[in-house]
Amino acid sequence: MSTLPKKNELGFFEIRMESIGGLGANLAGKMLAEAGVVGAGLNGVSFSSYGSEKKGSPVKAHIRFCDIDTKIRDTSPVERPHVVVVFHEALAKTINVVSGVMEDSIVLVNSTGSPQEVKDKMKLAGGTVAVVDAIGIALEEQNRVNMAMMGAIFRIVDFLDPQIMRDVIRKSLEKKYPQAVDPALRTFDRGYNEVKFHTFGLPEGTTMPAFVRHDTPSLGYETQPMGGVVVNPGNSILKDLSISRSGLMPHYHEDKCIHCAACDNVCPDFCFVWEEQPDKKGRPQMFLQGVDYQYCKGCLKCVVACPTEALTGEREETGYGEDHRVPHRFDRAVTA
């Protein structure tokens, strides 16, 4: 039976995963709990919280481990995690993903940056920061981000045996998806071997920020405006651009476009922006202006449908969506 390296006042070792729909955090949490219970002889529980079940929506997965003689009667969200796992670093723009971390917490982030760069971006005072390019590994191995993140987790949470997780992966996939077993195992192993981490001490005279409950809504019965005014409708117009996708996004090459609308016919989110202009003979025709990345989730159906390679699937780059976005006309009116 494994021994937990640290526990909170209730006897739990707690992990919180911050993710978006489509990256597999919910499944990763279940598999991680199974590996701890079945393979390491611990008590464990896993549960998730999320809104609409769709790609791009924020998701949290919560995992608790404790000694076999300790009962788990708590399914509240993990607020003071020993480990935080961030499946997409751009989440930090809109969500306090490192809420509740302690001086000795570990923060694992899916990123191409260094631990120092991630520490600065997340505004962490100290602690252990680990980074792994999970999206890059998943794209190269043609697998999912969660397997690479799981590999990195098992490297930094050393009371769990990685071989147990390999067995769980094989058992979970081999009946329904036998062809996915080997890519998943390769992705897991690369995450385990390629994660980089560094422990940062607190600068002299510095303390960790005071804990604030991250799930407490800013508006309540005492603070909401009169008349039931909805001040944040939570629609796509106000949504952050950079966490809609999961690795690849379409790039538009205007010089190759024949304005056939094949892309628009298959797009599930109406991402393409058109404008009526005269053609060479002066007749009105709709011409494609570009992509409104506010709504794009990177499904790449448009790339498959395009007959002229005017749309290509490229690795997602930070800031590309903001810099190349062509807003829909109604968005221009809202933001004007």
Side-chain angles (χ1 to χ4, degrees), residues 284-320:
Q285 181 181 329
M286 299 302 290
F287 287 86
L288 181 60
Q289 303 301 300
V291 183
D292 190 342
Y293 289 107
Q294 183 73 74
Y295 305 95
C296 177
K297 61 188 179 186
C299 68
L300 302 186
K301 292 181 180 180
C302 57
V303 174
V304 176
C306 181
T308 63
E309 297 185 347
L311 290 160
T312 57
E314 309 291 344
R315 175 75 188 269
E316 180 180 358
E317 301 173 10
T318 301
Y320 185 92

Side-chain angles (χ1 to χ4, degrees), residues 29-86:
K30 292 177 181 178
M31 296 175 74
L32 178 60
E34 182 179 348
V37 172
V38 176
L42 300 168
N43 272 349
V45 65
S46 168
F47 54 96
S48 299
S49 59
Y50 43 83
S52 57
E53 295 186 58
K54 63 181 181 179
K55 191 174 184 180
S57 299
V59 174
K60 297 180 188 291
H62 310 275
I63 302 96
R64 287 189 171 94
F65 291 118
C66 59
D67 295 332
I68 195 67
D69 56 352
T70 301
K71 297 184 183 299
I72 300 179
R73 301 189 183 278
D74 185 3
T75 54
S76 62
V78 171
E79 294 183 328
R80 300 289 274 170
H82 296 99
V83 180
V84 173
V85 184
V86 184

Side-chain angles (χ1 to χ4, degrees), residues 64-310:
R64 287 189 171 94
F65 291 118
C66 59
D67 295 332
I68 195 67
D69 56 352
T70 301
K71 297 184 183 299
I72 300 179
R73 301 189 183 278
D74 185 3
T75 54
S76 62
V78 171
E79 294 183 328
R80 300 289 274 170
H82 296 99
V83 180
V84 173
V85 184
V86 184
F87 277 58
H88 201 306
E89 64 178 329
L91 275 165
K93 292 182 180 180
T94 53
I95 298 173
N96 185 11
V97 292
V98 295
S99 168
V101 296
M102 298 166 283
E103 185 176 350
D104 58 349
S105 294
I106 301 173
V107 178
L108 168 64
V109 183
N110 172 15
S111 173
T112 57
S114 67
Q116 180 68 58
E117 291 169 337
V118 169
K119 173 183 176 291
D120 295 341
K121 186 178 293 186
M122 300 286 177
K123 299 179 181 179
L124 291 165
T128 299
V129 179
V131 296
V132 63
D133 183 14
I135 288 179
I137 294 171
L139 290 173
E140 291 173 14
E141 299 296 341
Q142 298 183 352
N143 202 252
R144 301 187 69 188
V145 170
N146 58 352
M147 289 297 103
M149 296 300 288
M150 290 293 290
I153 292 170
F154 272 73
R155 177 73 178 277
I156 61 177
V157 182
D158 54 9
F159 65 85
L160 295 174
D161 183 354
Q163 186 55 48
I164 295 172
M165 191 63 215
R166 294 186 187 98
D167 295 339
V168 171
I169 292 172
R170 187 175 297 278
K171 186 185 80 170
S172 300
L173 298 177
E174 62 184 356
K175 288 186 179 179
K176 279 190 173 182
Y177 312 104
Q179 73 282 359
V181 172
D182 288 341
L185 291 174
R186 289 198 304 270
T187 304
F188 175 84
D189 287 339
R190 286 191 60 183
Y192 184 90
N193 293 318
E194 296 178 24
V195 63
K196 302 173 184 176
F197 46 92
H198 185 81
T199 299
F200 299 91
L202 284 173
E204 188 174 349
T206 303
T207 58
M208 295 295 288
F211 170 61
V212 178
R213 294 185 183 277
H214 69 286
D215 281 332
T216 303
S218 58
L219 296 178
Y221 73 94
E222 290 183 334
T223 55
Q224 63 186 0
M226 294 295 290
V229 177
V230 180
V231 295
N232 184 349
N235 59 18
S236 295
I237 295 174
L238 300 180
K239 178 175 62 61
D240 179 70
L241 291 174
S242 55
I243 59 169
S244 300
R245 296 164 291 274
S246 55
L248 293 174
M249 61 192 301
H251 284 200
Y252 174 52
H253 310 284
E254 187 178 3
D255 58 318
K256 297 181 180 179
C257 183
I258 59 174
H259 310 283
C260 65
C263 54
D264 211 11
N265 287 335
V266 299
C267 178
D269 297 303
F270 305 105
C271 298
F272 294 96
V273 181
W274 299 83
E275 190 171 297
E276 187 177 285
Q277 298 175 359
D279 65 10
K280 294 179 180 179
K281 296 183 179 181
R283 297 170 300 188
Q285 181 181 329
M286 299 302 290
F287 287 86
L288 181 60
Q289 303 301 300
V291 183
D292 190 342
Y293 289 107
Q294 183 73 74
Y295 305 95
C296 177
K297 61 188 179 186
C299 68
L300 302 186
K301 292 181 180 180
C302 57
V303 174
V304 176
C306 181
T308 63
E309 297 185 347

